[in-house]
Amino acid sequence: MTQKIQSVPSVSVSYAANGSSTKANAMGMRPMQERAYEKRGEQYLLIKSPPASGKSRALMFIALDKLANQGLKQAIIVVPERSIGASFHDEPLTQFGFWEDWHVEPRRNLCDAAGGDNGGKVNSVEAFLKSDDKVLVCTHATFRFAVDRFGVGAFDDRLIAVDEFHHVSSDSDNKLGHHLGAFIARDKVHIVAMTGSYFRGDAVDVLSPRDEAKFDTVTYTYYEQLNGYRYLKHLDIGYFFYSGSYADDILKVLDPKQKTIIHIPSVNSRESTKDKMREVEHIIEELGDWQGADPVTGFQLVKTEDGRTLRIADLVDDDKNKRDRVSTALKDPTQKNNRDHVDIIIALGMAKEGFDWIWCEHALTVGYRSSLTEIIQIIGRATRDAPGKTRARFTNLIAEPDASEEAVTEAVNDTLKAIAASLLMEQVLAPRFEFRSKASTNEPTDGFDYGDDGYQQDKCNVGFNEEKGKFQIEIKGLSEPKSEEATRICQEDLNEVITAFVQDKTALERGLFDKELVPEELTISRMGKIIKDKYPELDEEDQEAVRQHAIAALNLTQQAANIATSGDGEPGANTALIDGVRKFAMDVREVDIDLIDRINPFGEAYAILAKAMSEESLKQVAAVIGAKRVTLTPEEARDLAKRALKFKQERGRLPSITSADAWEKRMAEGVAFLARMKMEAARG
């Protein structure tokens, strides 16, 4: 119990805690809700906003306006699971300045009703459609069955609001995604989609690009949300590697004094012992002496070495009655503001999405989670604002690769995925980027602070808008998007592009472990290929503009974070990341796109990994990855040859294979590789 807590934060962000995101306007709307309400007239609206930012209430405001002023007959609220239906119970909005209260007839909130989704509840949907009632709340499943039975036409002139929209995908097996595509094709309903995830559908896009283009997007960032809290000022995200059984090492990262949710591993994962009940018992034994269970709440009572009694909620127990009693106690509305109600929650599949425990300071997850959306939801459990809670953290406890394991490749893959998730969370938690090409005609933009010296015409300026949580950065030689779609991607979807890039195994492996890497092979060639595959409808100029904006966002965040933490893992003031970007801009002669392309995007991640993993394991991971390295593929050579042609057009000569510039030499090698292929093909 006295051992030092070990965890190397791979992401450590500090915020101003200025209270702005919790302040309501004259109509009772917080900033995110106000921003969404301004777009209430859109037929198709996508709201991307963090957990606890008030999406449910934002929808109430929008739905009431659509029913009263936009000619819609009814609103149907669709949630992924019954427990989330409680978010749409009656709200006295007029008390806070709005012009109408939110009301749902009790019989029309089907999440509160007993029974299965495909039965009486589908009949209730039909009865609602024929009634004069205005609002229905049901699960995704009930809605799917209802559309199957009645067809999309039965829902004409209604609002369909889909909560936790990331559950939808354009995959042919995803029925809800198929239904939404049919609704959009018919074009007779309004759709409001809401998600707390910034990674739509993970591997599969939520909507087809054609359908997605019809949505107007409201984005409220994690930075805006956390910067505007009253209490929470610091958020750490990191991974910790262990060997042996995780329960033996758990107290190296678990501080019993912090309010914690522990998600034990899936029984199918490497980290699982395949006996989840014993794992819970082992965690409890490590924490102290078991004193029995509270007869009212069902919480396990554990006495620690320092004499405190921990109240532990076990949501893993297979006994449904016991689990339901604990779950009910956790949801007790009278205990919502009681910090001492429970100390630790142990869960497997529960206590993630829609679970609200404002006092949670530490989300501790054992085993890698393949879904970025799931990781965001788990982190969201710890990022609620609460009195006295100034710091929160998420730790991913991962088994180190073991040379004796048959599944060493799987272990290496999990390690790489954890690093990718950490990089992506760093992007999500940072302010937004607005890049513009440096030009003599540029002028300062209202609302942006350009530092002590103000805007300087002869330099690449870095401006910051505190209210919007947005950087404006001038970059010499930056390609600007030309089409509307490319502009939208650069403004709204850079994180989607960065997600595809850092999840690309080849890019990640080489960026971390290839000592001979020429960074442009990743930043230009690999990122370029990913953009072409992801956005084939864009022309080459727009694809290049998107590539440059995405790599600039990734590399500037990495460089700034390194400067902000001074390489020691400790966060600075709430302006540290902003100061880091400014310092990077000042330390180089000028910020140009060639300079950004010459930075390895995974350099900082490797530095963190080297601190977090034992030297022996790190060497083993490098060996596993090095054993399968391919020098150059024909596809890569063709891409290099195309870039060599562009090089010739710009400089009047082909790249030289003896050049001191590594990227020029690599392009020349691509040309030579293709020439050899042609010669060999000619010889037969």
Side-chain angles (χ1 to χ4, degrees):
M1 289 291 290
T2 57
Q3 57 190 314
K4 188 176 185 296
I5 302 297
Q6 301 174 24
S7 186
V8 180
S10 51
V11 180
S12 197
V13 194
S14 301
Y15 297 93
N18 59 31
S20 62
S21 66
T22 59
K23 289 176 184 171
N25 67 8
M27 295 179 78
M29 298 177 191
R30 282 151 50 187
M32 184 283 286
Q33 296 158 350
E34 186 175 12
R35 189 178 301 174
Y37 191 66
E38 286 171 359
K39 296 283 186 77
R40 63 191 180 279
E42 299 294 334
Q43 182 178 0
Y44 301 117
L45 187 62
L46 171 61
I47 301 173
K48 292 198 288 186
S49 185
S53 58
K55 290 187 291 295
S56 302
R57 189 164 291 200
L59 176 59
M60 295 176 189
F61 293 127
I62 292 168
L64 287 171
D65 188 85
K66 285 185 179 292
L67 292 170
N69 302 318
Q70 298 179 41
L72 294 188
K73 297 175 182 174
Q74 295 173 312
I76 299 171
I77 318 296
V78 187
V79 299
E81 57 185 66
R82 288 173 58 186
S83 62
I84 298 177
S87 300
F88 296 97
H89 286 161
D90 289 3
E91 285 289 347
L93 302 179
T94 55
Q95 283 185 20
F96 310 103
F98 197 61
W99 44 266
E100 188 171 339
D101 288 332
W102 175 257
H103 174 66
V104 182
E105 291 291 333
R107 60 182 176 155
R108 301 306 185 198
N109 192 329
L110 303 185
C111 294
D112 294 339
D117 292 300
N118 189 12
K121 290 187 180 181
V122 176
N123 295 333
S124 296
V125 173
E126 182 180 30
F128 168 76
L129 293 172
K130 292 176 179 177
S131 76
D132 293 327
D133 291 335
K134 292 299 181 184
V135 184
L136 177 84
V137 182
C138 68
T139 63
H140 287 186
T142 297
F143 184 69
R144 290 197 309 268
F145 291 128
V147 177
D148 281 342
R149 190 186 299 182
F150 309 126
V152 294
F155 297 85
D156 285 357
D157 303 318
R158 290 169 173 86
L159 167 65
I160 310 295
V162 185
D163 196 16
E164 310 294 1
F165 191 58
H166 47 267
H167 284 263
V168 181
S169 92
S170 56
D171 189 286
S172 57
D173 294 332
N174 188 295
K175 188 160 273 191
L176 184 53
H178 173 75
H179 287 334
L180 284 172
F183 278 119
I184 293 168
R186 185 172 171 82
D187 206 29
K188 298 279 190 182
V189 298
H190 286 212
I191 298 174
V192 175
M194 303 186 296
T195 177
S197 171
Y198 290 76
F199 310 106
R200 294 189 306 277
D202 285 338
V204 183
D205 286 337
V206 169
L207 295 169
S208 70
R210 186 183 70 252
D211 286 345
E212 186 169 326
K214 295 180 180 178
F215 277 77
D216 205 295
T217 304
V218 173
T219 301
Y220 192 69
T221 65
Y222 251 102
Y223 183 90
E224 291 176 283
Q225 171 78 348
L226 273 66
N227 206 52
Y229 274 168
R230 293 178 61 194
Y231 309 104
L232 185 61
K233 295 182 179 181
H234 305 284
L235 177 61
D236 299 327
I237 296 175
Y239 36 79
F240 174 78
F241 294 94
Y242 69 92
S243 55
S245 167
Y246 78 82
D248 293 332
D249 269 350
I250 199 161
L251 287 194
K252 290 180 180 177
V253 290
L254 170 61
D255 183 349
K257 294 186 177 73
Q258 288 186 325
K259 303 294 184 181
T260 303
I261 296 180
I262 304 169
H263 282 104
I264 68 170
S266 156
V267 291
N268 298 317
S269 72
R270 287 185 316 112
E271 286 83 359
S272 174
T273 64
K274 314 307 176 192
D275 185 347
K276 62 181 184 179
M277 306 296 286
R278 179 63 192 132
E279 287 176 33
V280 174
E281 288 173 7
H282 198 152
I283 291 169
I284 288 174
E285 287 166 4
E286 289 292 308
L287 287 166
D289 295 325
W290 184 64
Q291 305 290 304
D294 184 299
V296 178
T297 62
F299 296 162
Q300 305 298 312
L301 305 177
V302 176
K303 194 167 187 177
T304 65
E305 272 185 4
D306 59 9
R308 292 182 308 120
T309 298
L310 297 175
R311 299 170 63 78
I312 300 174
D314 175 8
L315 292 173
V316 180
D317 200 315
D318 278 332
D319 185 324
K320 187 175 182 301
N321 290 331
K322 287 183 182 177
R323 197 173 65 242
D324 285 351
R325 185 195 307 166
V326 170
S327 182
T328 301
L330 288 174
K331 293 174 185 174
D332 183 351
T334 64
Q335 298 295 331
K336 183 175 182 179
N337 296 317
N338 179 8
R339 189 180 187 279
D340 299 323
H341 182 51
V342 66
D343 297 292
I344 294 173
I345 297 172
I346 305 176
L348 206 164
M350 300 173 73
K352 295 177 187 174
E353 193 171 78
F355 181 80
D356 189 9
W357 181 33
I358 63 170
W359 304 108
C360 177
E361 297 164 286
H362 188 192
L364 172 56
T365 298
V366 184
Y368 173 69
R369 296 308 197 256
S370 60
S371 163
L372 289 164
T373 294
E374 184 178 359
I375 292 169
I376 283 219
Q377 290 294 339
I378 292 172
I379 291 172
R381 299 320 100 205
T383 56
R384 263 61 174 173
D385 203 27
K389 175 179 160 183
T390 59
R391 191 165 208 136
R393 63 185 176 124
F394 166 76
T395 305
N396 198 179
L397 201 55
I398 303 167
E400 279 199 346
D402 182 345
S404 63
E405 284 184 25
E406 289 181 18
V408 68
T409 304
E410 182 189 345
V412 169
N413 287 341
D414 282 355
T415 300
L416 294 175
K417 288 172 183 173
I419 294 165
S422 179
L423 284 165
L424 291 168
M425 283 310 304
E426 192 147 16
Q427 292 301 133
V428 166
L429 293 168
R432 295 176 77 184
F433 288 98
E434 177 187 289
F435 298 112
R436 62 177 179 173
S437 182
K438 179 60 184 171
S440 58
T441 54
N442 286 359
E443 293 181 349
T445 304
D446 286 344
F448 283 87
D449 172 14
Y450 294 94
D452 294 339
D453 297 327
Y455 188 88
Q456 298 178 67
Q457 205 68 48
D458 60 337
K459 291 187 176 178
C460 289
N461 292 278
V462 176
F464 186 68
N465 185 310
E466 173 78 24
E467 185 184 346
K468 295 181 179 177
K470 183 187 284 188
F471 279 116
Q472 182 193 80
I473 301 175
E474 293 179 333
I475 300 175
K476 188 178 178 184
L478 181 76
S479 295
E480 300 278 13
K482 301 290 191 297
S483 70
E484 199 174 300
E485 176 61 5
T487 302
R488 184 194 68 78
I489 293 165
C490 289
Q491 289 175 350
E492 297 287 347
D493 275 0
L494 287 186
N495 281 349
E496 297 294 325
V497 178
I498 292 168
T499 299
F501 178 67
V502 302
Q503 287 187 308
D504 181 81
K505 265 183 72 177
T506 303
L508 193 54
E509 289 174 350
R510 294 200 61 201
L512 287 170
F513 295 105
D514 185 351
K515 292 180 180 175
E516 297 175 4
L517 172 77
V518 178
E520 290 94 333
E521 292 180 63
L522 300 184
T523 59
I524 295 177
S525 293
R526 198 73 194 172
M527 179 67 97
K529 181 183 185 304
I530 286 166
I531 302 287
K532 285 173 186 171
D533 292 346
K534 192 170 178 63
Y535 303 110
E537 71 282 0
L538 298 181
D539 65 25
E540 280 192 17
E541 281 187 42
D542 272 342
Q543 287 174 344
E544 176 62 8
V546 171
R547 183 200 73 76
Q548 290 184 12
H549 280 66
I551 210 66
L554 176 57
N555 268 343
L556 283 172
T557 300
Q558 290 300 298
Q559 295 302 304
N562 180 47
I563 292 168
T565 59
S566 305
D568 61 7
E570 285 299 317
N574 65 290
T575 59
L577 192 67
I578 303 156
D579 296 341
V581 173
R582 284 213 174 101
K583 189 171 189 309
F584 175 76
M586 285 191 306
D587 286 351
V588 299
R589 192 164 54 84
E590 57 186 359
V591 183
D592 67 66
I593 193 62
D594 291 339
L595 168 73
I596 290 168
D597 280 337
R598 286 196 294 271
I599 299 170
N600 177 359
F602 303 106
E604 303 309 323
Y606 181 81
I608 294 290
L609 185 63
K611 289 181 184 178
M613 187 180 278
S614 70
E615 188 177 350
E616 185 183 337
S617 291
L618 194 63
K619 284 179 180 175
Q620 186 181 350
V621 173
V624 169
I625 290 168
K628 59 181 181 179
R629 189 173 298 145
V630 177
T631 332
L632 201 61
T633 67
E635 186 181 15
E636 287 169 340
R638 277 189 286 272
D639 180 68
L640 287 166
K642 280 180 72 175
R643 296 189 182 278
L645 192 60
K646 189 177 178 184
F647 180 96
K648 184 183 179 184
Q649 290 167 352
E650 291 171 353
R651 307 200 189 183
R653 64 177 178 82
L654 279 169
S656 168
I657 206 150
T658 59
S659 172
D661 181 88
W663 177 233
E664 181 181 341
K665 184 180 177 184
R666 192 61 171 161
M667 286 188 282
E669 287 171 354
V671 173
F673 183 95
L674 281 184
R676 283 197 305 275
M677 278 179 60
K678 285 180 182 175
M679 285 175 63
E680 287 166 8
R683 288 180 190 143

